[in-house]
Amino acid sequence: MTFQANENVAPDPKIDYFKDENNQYGYRSKYHAKKGSEKNFEFLFAIGDIHPLVNARVYADQYLSALDNYIRGTSFQSELMASAQVWQTFWLHSDVKIDGDPQIQLCLRFNLFELNQSAGRDENTSIPAKGLTGNGYGGHFFWDTEMFMLAFFTYTQPQIAKKLLMFRYHTLNIAKQQASEFGLPKGAMYAWRTINGYESSSYWLAGMAQFHINADIAFAIEQYYTITGDDDFLKKYGFEIILETARFWMQYGNFTELDGKHVFVINKVTGPDEYSALVDNNYYTNVMAQFNLRLAIKYAEKFKATDITSRLNVSDKEIDRMKQAAELMYLPYDKEKNVKLQFQDFEQLLPMHLDQIDQSLFPLLLHYHPLMLYRYQVNKQADTIMADILFPKGNTKEQLIADYDFYEPITTHDSSLSKAMYAIAASRAGKKEQSYDFFSQAVKTDLLDLHHNTQNGIHAGSLGAAWQGVVYGFAGVVNNAEHFSLEPKLPSAWNSIKFKLRLHNNECLFTIYQNEVHVELTSGKACEVYVYDKKVRVTSQHVKEVCEY
Ligand code: IFM
């Protein structure tokens, strides 16, 4: 869509059109307003994208006539008040207050503001990786939405989370078409980067091959369902996506013999880390695919013999195959080091000593050819560590520490999505100072332009990841739990963190101090909150319960 604003209806010769140093087009026009004077502006919109979800001509007509009617019936003052109201409601439910760190507080609020601004709300759009602030990544949507930003919406404004997931539902047919054109008879293959459902990666090796996007979407649906209990969504839309993405893994992966065992493998994929590509059995991808398959199995059993499973042609035989694949999923692991391997042959790659590389050569992607980087044990961003964060159950603290100590020294954090994830992992591993350092760099990414490229747009995923850093990291909220469950580890310099979260029909206000958690029910009837192994029950609204830890 192009947009233009003219003064006084007729194009004004005084308007100064320009192209700035970042190749962005714009115009300036100065207007000296005298108190009490009036000025008219005309806004022109041109919508010209070919979008399978939107008929541009119909959309433009409808949009412009609705806008026209709307503008005639409103005034600047009433718009200002309505906007203030929207933002007041937003902050009431979604603010995070940090007592004891004003700079981080400012950055965090900036991040939450940008997240809220950027989220699509019409089911035909998601959240671009650069929000609505720049033309970096061509306005495309990635896994950034489901894995880094959506949790914030799901826990605080689930109605927006649902709209974002509906974008994936409306593009499911395109994902199925892509799988079929690719040569897979069944399943859905979501685009790694897209604006309209179709794959837009130009560099398929590091783009399209990031098939984990399929399981990331399934993961986000499960998170939405666990937190909201929205049965209607699951039955009508969510299960179908979970099933079709699970079918993709059954087509792309295969059973084989490896190290003397019968296993299910997923070869030739690119994991989250973009300093490696087209690998066999990426740990993150396989563990997410396993989760995706188990979700499909769980809900196929829940909906067995209903019109839902018959509409989707689910058979017992298909579900049995999925069970075998999930059970036999190959997860590369070095027994001696007690470390999960990023992918099957990761240890055969050359070592890279990041501390011996000159600082001027970072980010490495701007100084080395990808094929050079792919030969080394070096990470652009959190990869296996993400799996540890998402699936903490069954992982001992020793295992987490072993993974952290293995991957942290070889990670450059050249992707802005990395540091907040390492902040969470460090917090859980008991490395308080490192956790705070990583978090504070993640949260300041855009306001302080730490990657020196905010002129191309904010790093929306990083903004959402910073929220996770506070909530999952320092407050220690256990993600996807059926009850509120917290294991706080507050930075020493902070007095408290305060935020609200929703779970089903309850909303609670949590205030976390160094040794106490205060909980207040702000809407709903009653709920249980676990703080480490202690349980408190909140039964009346606005009555504070205190739990020491
Ligand atoms: O999705 C990310 C990816 O993980 C790293 N490169 C940038 C993409 C868009 O933010």
Side-chain angles (χ1 to χ4, degrees), residues 40-67:
N40 293 326
F41 292 87
E42 181 179 72
F43 293 91
L44 303 174
F45 296 87
I47 302 173
D49 187 28
I50 301 161
H51 194 305
L53 303 181
V54 179
N55 179 326
R57 183 175 289 266
V58 174
Y59 185 74
D61 286 349
Q62 285 172 352
Y63 180 74
L64 289 179
S65 79
L67 186 69

mmCIF file of all heavy atoms in Angstrom, residues 40-67:
data_model
loop_
_atom_site.group_PDB
_atom_site.id
_atom_site.type_symbol
_atom_site.label_atom_id
_atom_site.label_comp_id
_atom_site.label_asym_id
_atom_site.label_seq_id
_atom_site.Cartn_x
_atom_site.Cartn_y
_atom_site.Cartn_z
ATOM 1 N N ASN A 40 -6.597 21.889 6.055
ATOM 2 C CA ASN A 40 -7.136 20.612 5.586
ATOM 3 C C ASN A 40 -6.021 19.742 5.019
ATOM 4 O O ASN A 40 -5.096 20.247 4.379
ATOM 5 C CB ASN A 40 -8.165 20.834 4.477
ATOM 6 C CG ASN A 40 -9.381 21.524 5.034
ATOM 7 O OD1 ASN A 40 -9.759 21.295 6.180
ATOM 8 N ND2 ASN A 40 -9.972 22.394 4.233
ATOM 9 N N PHE A 41 -6.125 18.469 5.232
ATOM 10 C CA PHE A 41 -5.176 17.525 4.638
ATOM 11 C C PHE A 41 -5.967 16.496 3.844
ATOM 12 O O PHE A 41 -7.056 16.099 4.241
ATOM 13 C CB PHE A 41 -4.394 16.770 5.728
ATOM 14 C CG PHE A 41 -3.464 17.635 6.501
ATOM 15 C CD1 PHE A 41 -3.908 18.336 7.614
ATOM 16 C CD2 PHE A 41 -2.132 17.742 6.120
ATOM 17 C CE1 PHE A 41 -3.040 19.138 8.335
ATOM 18 C CE2 PHE A 41 -1.260 18.538 6.836
ATOM 19 C CZ PHE A 41 -1.711 19.245 7.945
ATOM 20 N N GLU A 42 -5.394 16.074 2.750
ATOM 21 C CA GLU A 42 -6.029 14.966 2.029
ATOM 22 C C GLU A 42 -5.070 13.782 2.050
ATOM 23 O O GLU A 42 -3.892 13.916 1.725
ATOM 24 C CB GLU A 42 -6.302 15.366 0.583
ATOM 25 C CG GLU A 42 -6.993 14.247 -0.173
ATOM 26 C CD GLU A 42 -7.295 14.650 -1.611
ATOM 27 O OE1 GLU A 42 -6.335 14.726 -2.395
ATOM 28 O OE2 GLU A 42 -8.461 14.893 -1.920
ATOM 29 N N PHE A 43 -5.588 12.636 2.450
ATOM 30 C CA PHE A 43 -4.750 11.441 2.496
ATOM 31 C C PHE A 43 -5.109 10.537 1.325
ATOM 32 O O PHE A 43 -6.276 10.240 1.097
ATOM 33 C CB PHE A 43 -4.980 10.684 3.814
ATOM 34 C CG PHE A 43 -4.496 11.457 5.007
ATOM 35 C CD1 PHE A 43 -5.343 12.318 5.694
ATOM 36 C CD2 PHE A 43 -3.183 11.327 5.426
ATOM 37 C CE1 PHE A 43 -4.893 13.042 6.782
ATOM 38 C CE2 PHE A 43 -2.722 12.050 6.523
ATOM 39 C CZ PHE A 43 -3.573 12.908 7.195
ATOM 40 N N LEU A 44 -4.117 10.138 0.575
ATOM 41 C CA LEU A 44 -4.362 9.265 -0.581
ATOM 42 C C LEU A 44 -3.739 7.901 -0.319
ATOM 43 O O LEU A 44 -2.592 7.809 0.114
ATOM 44 C CB LEU A 44 -3.708 9.854 -1.833
ATOM 45 C CG LEU A 44 -4.131 11.264 -2.220
ATOM 46 C CD1 LEU A 44 -3.285 11.742 -3.396
ATOM 47 C CD2 LEU A 44 -5.604 11.296 -2.591
ATOM 48 N N PHE A 45 -4.506 6.840 -0.574
ATOM 49 C CA PHE A 45 -3.982 5.488 -0.386
ATOM 50 C C PHE A 45 -4.052 4.769 -1.730
ATOM 51 O O PHE A 45 -5.043 4.880 -2.435
ATOM 52 C CB PHE A 45 -4.836 4.682 0.594
ATOM 53 C CG PHE A 45 -4.837 5.243 1.979
ATOM 54 C CD1 PHE A 45 -5.752 6.221 2.351
ATOM 55 C CD2 PHE A 45 -3.936 4.764 2.920
ATOM 56 C CE1 PHE A 45 -5.766 6.719 3.630
ATOM 57 C CE2 PHE A 45 -3.943 5.269 4.208
ATOM 58 C CZ PHE A 45 -4.858 6.247 4.571
ATOM 59 N N ALA A 46 -3.016 4.047 -2.062
ATOM 60 C CA ALA A 46 -3.079 3.194 -3.254
ATOM 61 C C ALA A 46 -2.729 1.789 -2.825
ATOM 62 O O ALA A 46 -1.674 1.551 -2.235
ATOM 63 C CB ALA A 46 -2.093 3.694 -4.301
ATOM 64 N N ILE A 47 -3.642 0.851 -3.066
ATOM 65 C CA ILE A 47 -3.401 -0.523 -2.631
ATOM 66 C C ILE A 47 -3.206 -1.367 -3.874
ATOM 67 O O ILE A 47 -4.082 -1.429 -4.727
ATOM 68 C CB ILE A 47 -4.594 -1.036 -1.797
ATOM 69 C CG1 ILE A 47 -4.803 -0.108 -0.597
ATOM 70 C CG2 ILE A 47 -4.352 -2.464 -1.331
ATOM 71 C CD1 ILE A 47 -6.032 -0.411 0.206
ATOM 72 N N GLY A 48 -2.043 -1.996 -4.007
ATOM 73 C CA GLY A 48 -1.770 -2.664 -5.272
ATOM 74 C C GLY A 48 -1.102 -4.011 -5.123
ATOM 75 O O GLY A 48 -0.451 -4.482 -6.028
ATOM 76 N N ASP A 49 -1.265 -4.658 -3.979
ATOM 77 C CA ASP A 49 -0.581 -5.929 -3.788
ATOM 78 C C ASP A 49 -1.470 -7.073 -4.269
ATOM 79 O O ASP A 49 -2.679 -7.031 -4.146
ATOM 80 C CB ASP A 49 -0.275 -6.102 -2.296
ATOM 81 C CG ASP A 49 0.582 -7.314 -2.039
ATOM 82 O OD1 ASP A 49 1.342 -7.673 -2.960
ATOM 83 O OD2 ASP A 49 0.492 -7.879 -0.956
ATOM 84 N N ILE A 50 -0.849 -8.125 -4.811
ATOM 85 C CA ILE A 50 -1.623 -9.312 -5.179
ATOM 86 C C ILE A 50 -1.578 -10.225 -3.969
ATOM 87 O O ILE A 50 -0.547 -10.782 -3.628
ATOM 88 C CB ILE A 50 -1.011 -10.008 -6.400
ATOM 89 C CG1 ILE A 50 -0.991 -9.027 -7.558
ATOM 90 C CG2 ILE A 50 -1.788 -11.272 -6.746
ATOM 91 C CD1 ILE A 50 -0.041 -9.386 -8.639
ATOM 92 N N HIS A 51 -2.673 -10.337 -3.289
ATOM 93 C CA HIS A 51 -2.706 -11.047 -2.018
ATOM 94 C C HIS A 51 -3.886 -12.008 -2.071
ATOM 95 O O HIS A 51 -5.018 -11.588 -2.262
ATOM 96 C CB HIS A 51 -2.901 -10.008 -0.895
ATOM 97 C CG HIS A 51 -2.620 -10.527 0.458
ATOM 98 N ND1 HIS A 51 -3.234 -11.637 0.954
ATOM 99 C CD2 HIS A 51 -1.785 -10.075 1.431
ATOM 100 C CE1 HIS A 51 -2.787 -11.848 2.187
ATOM 101 N NE2 HIS A 51 -1.903 -10.919 2.495
ATOM 102 N N PRO A 52 -3.630 -13.321 -1.921
ATOM 103 C CA PRO A 52 -4.739 -14.270 -2.078
ATOM 104 C C PRO A 52 -5.827 -14.101 -1.023
ATOM 105 O O PRO A 52 -6.941 -14.557 -1.201
ATOM 106 C CB PRO A 52 -4.061 -15.633 -1.934
ATOM 107 C CG PRO A 52 -2.758 -15.375 -1.307
ATOM 108 C CD PRO A 52 -2.373 -13.971 -1.621
ATOM 109 N N LEU A 53 -5.513 -13.454 0.083
ATOM 110 C CA LEU A 53 -6.518 -13.290 1.128
ATOM 111 C C LEU A 53 -7.300 -11.996 0.953
ATOM 112 O O LEU A 53 -8.277 -11.762 1.626
ATOM 113 C CB LEU A 53 -5.858 -13.282 2.509
ATOM 114 C CG LEU A 53 -5.020 -14.506 2.868
ATOM 115 C CD1 LEU A 53 -4.459 -14.365 4.257
ATOM 116 C CD2 LEU A 53 -5.876 -15.757 2.790
ATOM 117 N N VAL A 54 -6.785 -11.133 0.084
ATOM 118 C CA VAL A 54 -7.402 -9.819 -0.021
ATOM 119 C C VAL A 54 -7.614 -9.471 -1.488
ATOM 120 O O VAL A 54 -6.669 -9.527 -2.269
ATOM 121 C CB VAL A 54 -6.457 -8.743 0.603
ATOM 122 C CG1 VAL A 54 -7.071 -7.370 0.481
ATOM 123 C CG2 VAL A 54 -6.133 -9.063 2.046
ATOM 124 N N ASN A 55 -8.822 -9.125 -1.857
ATOM 125 C CA ASN A 55 -9.058 -8.622 -3.204
ATOM 126 C C ASN A 55 -8.774 -7.123 -3.154
ATOM 127 O O ASN A 55 -9.541 -6.346 -2.582
ATOM 128 C CB ASN A 55 -10.512 -8.900 -3.604
ATOM 129 C CG ASN A 55 -10.812 -8.377 -4.996
ATOM 130 O OD1 ASN A 55 -10.272 -7.349 -5.400
ATOM 131 N ND2 ASN A 55 -11.667 -9.082 -5.699
ATOM 132 N N ALA A 56 -7.641 -6.719 -3.727
ATOM 133 C CA ALA A 56 -7.150 -5.349 -3.531
ATOM 134 C C ALA A 56 -8.184 -4.305 -3.939
ATOM 135 O O ALA A 56 -8.401 -3.320 -3.248
ATOM 136 C CB ALA A 56 -5.849 -5.146 -4.294
ATOM 137 N N ARG A 57 -8.869 -4.581 -5.075
ATOM 138 C CA ARG A 57 -9.804 -3.572 -5.562
ATOM 139 C C ARG A 57 -10.993 -3.427 -4.602
ATOM 140 O O ARG A 57 -11.337 -2.326 -4.178
ATOM 141 C CB ARG A 57 -10.299 -3.959 -6.969
ATOM 142 C CG ARG A 57 -11.209 -2.939 -7.595
ATOM 143 C CD ARG A 57 -11.524 -3.366 -9.006
ATOM 144 N NE ARG A 57 -10.364 -3.212 -9.865
ATOM 145 C CZ ARG A 57 -10.132 -2.131 -10.591
ATOM 146 N NH1 ARG A 57 -10.952 -1.123 -10.550
ATOM 147 N NH2 ARG A 57 -9.073 -2.053 -11.353
ATOM 148 N N VAL A 58 -11.553 -4.589 -4.214
ATOM 149 C CA VAL A 58 -12.700 -4.553 -3.304
ATOM 150 C C VAL A 58 -12.265 -3.956 -1.968
ATOM 151 O O VAL A 58 -12.930 -3.104 -1.379
ATOM 152 C CB VAL A 58 -13.254 -5.988 -3.100
ATOM 153 C CG1 VAL A 58 -14.343 -5.997 -2.043
ATOM 154 C CG2 VAL A 58 -13.780 -6.530 -4.418
ATOM 155 N N TYR A 59 -11.102 -4.414 -1.527
ATOM 156 C CA TYR A 59 -10.608 -3.954 -0.236
ATOM 157 C C TYR A 59 -10.418 -2.432 -0.252
ATOM 158 O O TYR A 59 -10.828 -1.729 0.666
ATOM 159 C CB TYR A 59 -9.284 -4.661 0.069
ATOM 160 C CG TYR A 59 -8.722 -4.365 1.422
ATOM 161 C CD1 TYR A 59 -9.297 -4.932 2.565
ATOM 162 C CD2 TYR A 59 -7.620 -3.537 1.572
ATOM 163 C CE1 TYR A 59 -8.781 -4.680 3.820
ATOM 164 C CE2 TYR A 59 -7.101 -3.275 2.826
ATOM 165 C CZ TYR A 59 -7.671 -3.845 3.943
ATOM 166 O OH TYR A 59 -7.169 -3.595 5.183
ATOM 167 N N ALA A 60 -9.802 -1.949 -1.342
ATOM 168 C CA ALA A 60 -9.533 -0.505 -1.425
ATOM 169 C C ALA A 60 -10.842 0.276 -1.403
ATOM 170 O O ALA A 60 -10.981 1.253 -0.662
ATOM 171 C CB ALA A 60 -8.750 -0.196 -2.699
ATOM 172 N N ASP A 61 -11.826 -0.201 -2.199
ATOM 173 C CA ASP A 61 -13.104 0.510 -2.251
ATOM 174 C C ASP A 61 -13.769 0.517 -0.884
ATOM 175 O O ASP A 61 -14.189 1.548 -0.376
ATOM 176 C CB ASP A 61 -14.052 -0.155 -3.261
ATOM 177 C CG ASP A 61 -13.616 0.154 -4.680
ATOM 178 O OD1 ASP A 61 -12.742 1.035 -4.823
ATOM 179 O OD2 ASP A 61 -14.121 -0.490 -5.620
ATOM 180 N N GLN A 62 -13.829 -0.701 -0.298
ATOM 181 C CA GLN A 62 -14.504 -0.794 1.005
ATOM 182 C C GLN A 62 -13.773 0.034 2.051
ATOM 183 O O GLN A 62 -14.367 0.756 2.840
ATOM 184 C CB GLN A 62 -14.529 -2.247 1.493
ATOM 185 C CG GLN A 62 -15.538 -3.092 0.765
ATOM 186 C CD GLN A 62 -15.397 -4.550 1.147
ATOM 187 O OE1 GLN A 62 -14.457 -4.944 1.833
ATOM 188 N NE2 GLN A 62 -16.330 -5.356 0.680
ATOM 189 N N TYR A 63 -12.459 -0.101 2.014
ATOM 190 C CA TYR A 63 -11.662 0.564 3.031
ATOM 191 C C TYR A 63 -11.814 2.084 2.926
ATOM 192 O O TYR A 63 -12.045 2.777 3.907
ATOM 193 C CB TYR A 63 -10.196 0.153 2.860
ATOM 194 C CG TYR A 63 -9.279 0.781 3.869
ATOM 195 C CD1 TYR A 63 -9.280 0.329 5.188
ATOM 196 C CD2 TYR A 63 -8.427 1.824 3.521
ATOM 197 C CE1 TYR A 63 -8.468 0.911 6.130
ATOM 198 C CE2 TYR A 63 -7.605 2.410 4.459
ATOM 199 C CZ TYR A 63 -7.624 1.942 5.758
ATOM 200 O OH TYR A 63 -6.822 2.511 6.686
ATOM 201 N N LEU A 64 -11.718 2.562 1.680
ATOM 202 C CA LEU A 64 -11.771 4.017 1.520
ATOM 203 C C LEU A 64 -13.155 4.576 1.819
ATOM 204 O O LEU A 64 -13.268 5.631 2.434
ATOM 205 C CB LEU A 64 -11.314 4.408 0.111
ATOM 206 C CG LEU A 64 -9.817 4.215 -0.104
ATOM 207 C CD1 LEU A 64 -9.436 4.596 -1.520
ATOM 208 C CD2 LEU A 64 -8.994 5.028 0.886
ATOM 209 N N SER A 65 -14.202 3.837 1.432
ATOM 210 C CA SER A 65 -15.515 4.415 1.733
ATOM 211 C C SER A 65 -15.780 4.347 3.235
ATOM 212 O O SER A 65 -16.346 5.273 3.813
ATOM 213 C CB SER A 65 -16.626 3.805 0.881
ATOM 214 O OG SER A 65 -16.995 2.577 1.393
ATOM 215 N N ALA A 66 -15.319 3.260 3.892
ATOM 216 C CA ALA A 66 -15.501 3.187 5.355
ATOM 217 C C ALA A 66 -14.704 4.315 6.022
ATOM 218 O O ALA A 66 -15.189 4.977 6.947
ATOM 219 C CB ALA A 66 -15.041 1.835 5.877
ATOM 220 N N LEU A 67 -13.506 4.532 5.494
ATOM 221 C CA LEU A 67 -12.655 5.572 6.082
ATOM 222 C C LEU A 67 -13.293 6.952 5.897
ATOM 223 O O LEU A 67 -13.333 7.780 6.810
ATOM 224 C CB LEU A 67 -11.269 5.535 5.416
ATOM 225 C CG LEU A 67 -10.216 6.458 5.996
ATOM 226 C CD1 LEU A 67 -9.817 5.981 7.394
ATOM 227 C CD2 LEU A 67 -8.976 6.486 5.108
#
